Amino acid sequence: MSSNRFATLLNEQIAHEFSASQQYIAIAAYYDGDALPQLAAHFYRQAVEERNHAMMIVQYLMDADLPVTIPGIDGVRNEFANIAEPVALALDQERRVSAQIAALTGVAREQGDFMGEQFMQWFLKEQVEEVSSMSTLLRVVERAGTNALQVEEYLVRENAAEGDDPTAPRAAGGAL
C-alpha cells in the first residue's frame, strides 16, 4: 500500500492540478476577451483536463484508502502583454508539473510502492504530450507574430483530430 509521504505529495499535487486548471481558465478568458475563440476554447479544454487530473488523483487516493485533502489554490495571473505571454506561461507551468510528476514517481519507486508508481505512469506519458503540445503552440504563436488569426487557423486544423484517452485513470465523480 502507498506510504504517507507519497499520499502527502499526491494531495499536494491535487493543489497543483487545480491551480493549473484555474490558470488555464484565466488564460482562456484573456483570449475570449480578445475575440480569439479558438485559443480560448483550447485553454478552456486544458482547464477541464487539469481539473480531471486532480480528480483522478482524488479517486486514486480514495481507492487506496488514503486520506484526501482538497486544498485551496494560489492566485493566478490574469493580465498579459501579448498573445504569446499566456502560452509561454502555460509551457512553464507544464514543465513544472512534469517535474512534480517525475518527483512523485520517484518517491513511489524509492519506497517500493509499485501501485503508486504504476498510477503515475499515465501522468508521465501525459506530461510528455502536454509539454510537446504547448512548446509547439508557443512556436506557432511566435511565428504568427501579430497575426493571431494564423494561430486560430492552426488550432482549428490541429484540434480536429483530438479524442479521449481510454487508458486514462478514472476521475472521481467522472471526467468532464
Side-chain angles (χ1 to χ4, degrees), residues 104-169:
L104 266 164
T105 306
V107 168
R109 178 173 288 176
E110 170 188 299
Q111 297 183 336
D113 183 348
F114 302 115
M115 292 178 284
E117 185 177 351
Q118 173 61 36
F119 173 69
M120 297 310 302
Q121 294 303 310
W122 182 86
F123 287 92
L124 289 169
K125 173 187 72 83
E126 177 72 6
Q127 283 310 122
V128 169
E129 293 170 7
E130 292 297 328
V131 169
S132 174
S133 170
M134 211 55 75
S135 294
T136 300
L137 181 57
L138 181 58
R139 285 194 304 275
V140 168
V141 169
E142 289 172 344
R143 283 186 198 129
T146 59
N147 189 349
L149 296 181
Q150 287 181 331
V151 180
E152 293 283 284
E153 291 171 9
Y154 165 80
L155 287 171
V156 167
R157 286 191 312 272
E158 290 302 306
N159 291 333
E162 283 188 7
D164 290 336
D165 181 351
T167 66

Side-chain angles (χ1 to χ4, degrees), residues 1-169:
M1 195 53 74
S2 297
S3 74
N4 287 340
R5 182 169 172 229
F6 184 62
T8 297
L9 292 174
L10 278 177
N11 275 290
E12 289 174 12
Q13 192 62 35
I14 293 169
H16 299 312
E17 299 295 336
F18 280 137
S19 291
S21 178
Q22 290 295 101
Q23 184 59 67
Y24 284 152
I25 291 170
I27 291 171
Y30 167 79
Y31 287 131
D32 229 352
D34 207 18
L36 296 168
Q38 297 304 316
L39 276 161
H42 178 77
F43 281 97
Y44 284 129
R45 281 190 304 276
Q46 288 297 120
V48 169
E49 188 173 294
E50 299 303 331
R51 175 263 182 210
N52 287 342
H53 293 171
M55 298 307 286
M56 289 170 185
I57 296 169
V58 168
Q59 186 65 55
Y60 174 81
L61 288 166
M62 290 188 302
D63 289 347
D65 198 27
L66 294 166
V68 176
T69 304
I70 305 300
I73 62 163
D74 297 329
V76 299
R77 185 169 168 199
N78 290 287
E79 296 180 19
F80 304 97
N82 56 54
I83 69 164
E85 258 187 26
V87 180
L89 176 66
L91 176 57
D92 288 344
Q93 179 172 275
E94 291 298 344
R95 287 179 174 150
R96 193 169 42 256
V97 170
S98 293
Q100 293 160 349
I101 295 298
L104 266 164
T105 306
V107 168
R109 178 173 288 176
E110 170 188 299
Q111 297 183 336
D113 183 348
F114 302 115
M115 292 178 284
E117 185 177 351
Q118 173 61 36
F119 173 69
M120 297 310 302
Q121 294 303 310
W122 182 86
F123 287 92
L124 289 169
K125 173 187 72 83
E126 177 72 6
Q127 283 310 122
V128 169
E129 293 170 7
E130 292 297 328
V131 169
S132 174
S133 170
M134 211 55 75
S135 294
T136 300
L137 181 57
L138 181 58
R139 285 194 304 275
V140 168
V141 169
E142 289 172 344
R143 283 186 198 129
T146 59
N147 189 349
L149 296 181
Q150 287 181 331
V151 180
E152 293 283 284
E153 291 171 9
Y154 165 80
L155 287 171
V156 167
R157 286 191 312 272
E158 290 302 306
N159 291 333
E162 283 188 7
D164 290 336
D165 181 351
T167 66

